[in-house]
Amino acid sequence: MPDAERVLVIIPAAGSGTRFGGDVPKQFLPLGGKPLVQRVVERFLFDAVVTRVVVPVLDMLLNAVKESPGERVKFVVGGATRLQSVAAGLAAAGDEFDLVAVHDAVRPFFSPDTFHATLDAARTHGAAFPGIPLPDTIHEIRDDAIAATPDRSVFVAAQTPQCFRIEVLRDILTRAAREDANATDEAGLAAKYGHRVQLVPGDSMNFKITRPEDLVMAERIYAEWGGGEEP
Ligand code: C5P
């Protein structure tokens, strides 16, 4: 990687979703005694490739987190949607970056090798994402019955970090804002707007913590990795 290259990581964490049923948004639930989002931030800070980490959070949480980080981390107020939170993170970070990675706050076990491979692919192609084959057969359902069974070999499940040359991410966020478009991931949005989005092999350990049992599994993995600072 060229010396002068500057890499920004945006971790959108401004959702208020509490699908776990409690009062705490899932990205703030503890893993090994620290909030998930903090685990993720620390893992990126451990990586010398990363210049800056920006974390959009809910307005009401900004004061609570403001004191903690050093100068490589910045917490900012997120937006009303995930895309608006990512846009807020990009705007707060400034222009002096070459590549930007967007990572889910609830994927604490991303691999540095996959991250670096995705950055490399984004540098070459403009945009890239890690994806894994689907383990299960997928059925299209109508009226509670199978209507079709697509060929699963043409699908992947999208993971993060999704990486972009900064001008690509800026382009798709600007267009999405203009059209009031929404998206569950930035890679799909980039493809929708005509950018090539390169697939990089993902990793099944990089799962997303969405259900209570995922957190139980995550705690076990974390304990097994001996503290997990450097799994
Ligand atoms: O709610 P959902 O799972 O779709 O959110 C995906 C991610 O986007 C979460 O990490 C959430 O914190 C983040 N998000 C955000 N700003 C919003 C809504 C969601 O940063 N307004």
Side-chain angles (χ1 to χ4, degrees):
M1 181 168 300
D3 276 352
E5 192 163 63
R6 293 177 59 90
V7 174
L8 170 67
V9 176
I10 300 175
I11 303 170
S16 54
T18 53
R19 275 172 280 180
F20 274 39
D23 294 334
V24 182
K26 61 188 179 187
Q27 65 272 23
F28 290 97
L29 290 171
L31 174 64
K34 285 188 191 176
L36 270 169
V37 62
Q38 189 178 344
R39 290 278 171 218
V40 169
V41 168
E42 286 175 359
R43 201 158 158 76
F44 277 111
L45 290 178
F46 195 77
D47 192 328
V49 148
V50 173
T51 313
R52 172 77 55 87
V53 178
V54 173
V55 189
V57 293
L58 284 173
D59 203 357
M60 64 185 196
L61 284 170
L62 196 59
N63 283 336
V65 292
K66 226 170 190 169
E67 296 180 7
S68 41
E71 62 174 39
R72 279 168 77 211
V73 192
K74 191 171 182 176
F75 286 85
V76 300
V77 176
T81 64
R82 178 192 166 102
L83 282 183
Q84 286 171 18
S85 291
V86 172
L90 189 61
D95 283 338
E96 70 275 24
F97 298 94
D98 304 294
L99 294 170
V100 186
V102 182
H103 185 68
D104 293 331
V106 289
R107 291 187 194 269
F109 302 123
F110 68 92
S111 113
D113 286 350
T114 303
F115 172 39
H116 296 165
T118 313
L119 280 175
D120 287 346
R123 187 183 306 111
T124 305
H125 299 284
F129 78 109
I132 55 172
L134 302 181
D136 300 317
T137 297
I138 301 295
H139 298 301
E140 188 182 328
I141 296 297
R142 257 175 256 139
D143 292 334
D144 293 332
I146 294 177
T149 304
D151 173 9
R152 73 174 175 197
S153 70
V154 301
F155 294 102
V156 294
Q159 300 184 327
T160 69
Q162 301 188 342
C163 300
F164 307 86
R165 289 205 295 257
I166 193 167
E167 66 274 15
V168 172
L169 186 63
R170 198 175 293 122
D171 172 59
I172 65 170
L173 292 173
T174 306
R175 286 161 77 170
R178 208 184 296 140
E179 295 173 14
D180 208 14
N182 217 336
T184 51
D185 84 339
E186 292 70 30
L189 193 65
K192 174 180 159 184
Y193 288 139
H195 295 281
R196 180 182 171 87
V197 185
Q198 185 70 24
L199 171 66
V200 170
D203 168 4
S204 58
M205 287 301 289
N206 185 19
F207 62 93
K208 190 175 181 180
I209 295 177
T210 45
R211 298 157 302 185
E213 57 267 35
D214 298 329
L215 194 56
V216 172
M217 171 105 78
E219 284 288 3
R220 278 197 204 137
I221 293 167
Y222 187 81
E224 206 158 287
W225 281 357
E229 295 302 332
E230 214 185 329

